Amino acid sequence: MRERYGVHERRRWVPVVLGLLVLGFLALVSIVGWRLVNPPVQGTVSAYDTVADDHMTLRFTVQRQRETAVTCVVRARAQDGFDVAYTTVELPAGQGTTEHTMELRTAYRALVGELLGCGTGAVPASVPGAQFRPGVVPPAQPWTPSVP
């Protein structure tokens, strides 16, 4: 029968190897997906307030999975879309959810306060640099407002 119809026996190791390759690929995709969905550090803006033309208060929350120091980047933007304040904030080691308040000195009136990103050890590569309007001198940070 084999000679007449050209039927050959299948190699039994081929389906096993293919099955193992598929399982390995699925495990890799699961690990990468889990890390993307659950980063070690997450930050969100809880509130911002434009106090004056040269001053903004930014409140943000940082969630950490491990006891680690964090570096965050915050900025204030004006109505024209350009940055009016930009700074890097070093947060001490901690775990869980922590609240932080940052006083930003702005080059001119700010419309929006943003937390661009947080990372362990250094600024994340995905965080863009400062984008001030040409000719605008970035104000020095950190800044403490004077009490009248």
Side-chain angles (χ1 to χ4, degrees):
M1 189 103 152
R2 287 184 194 170
E3 292 175 13
R4 184 174 189 182
Y5 295 106
V7 176
H8 300 286
E9 284 188 34
R10 290 187 188 174
R11 296 182 179 136
R12 295 179 190 251
W13 59 270
V14 172
V16 172
V17 170
L18 288 176
L20 289 174
L21 285 174
V22 168
L23 286 176
F25 177 75
L26 290 175
L28 180 67
V29 168
S30 298
I31 290 170
V32 170
W34 181 258
R35 287 191 178 185
L36 289 175
V37 171
N38 296 309
V41 178
Q42 285 183 309
T44 56
V45 172
S46 31
Y48 58 88
D49 182 33
T50 303
V51 178
D53 286 347
D54 66 343
H55 179 206
M56 172 177 263
T57 302
L58 178 68
R59 286 180 291 283
F60 60 97
T61 304
V62 176
Q63 297 171 340
R64 303 174 232 194
Q65 295 178 1
R66 294 184 301 263
E67 181 79 23
T68 183
V70 173
T71 303
C72 294
V73 177
V74 296
R75 75 175 173 186
R77 291 192 317 157
Q79 187 173 3
D80 60 9
F82 284 102
D83 292 350
V84 292
Y86 186 98
T87 189
T88 302
V89 182
E90 301 287 333
L91 303 176
Q95 188 174 4
T97 302
T98 55
E99 296 279 333
H100 305 277
T101 300
M102 182 77 190
E103 302 290 336
L104 294 169
R105 181 175 202 164
T106 58
Y108 50 98
R109 187 163 188 84
L111 181 66
V112 176
E114 298 175 320
L115 175 65
L116 296 178
C118 295
T120 56
V123 175
S126 61
V127 172
Q131 300 171 358
F132 286 90
R133 176 185 282 172
V136 172
V137 177
Q141 307 291 346
W143 178 69
T144 305
S146 59
V147 178

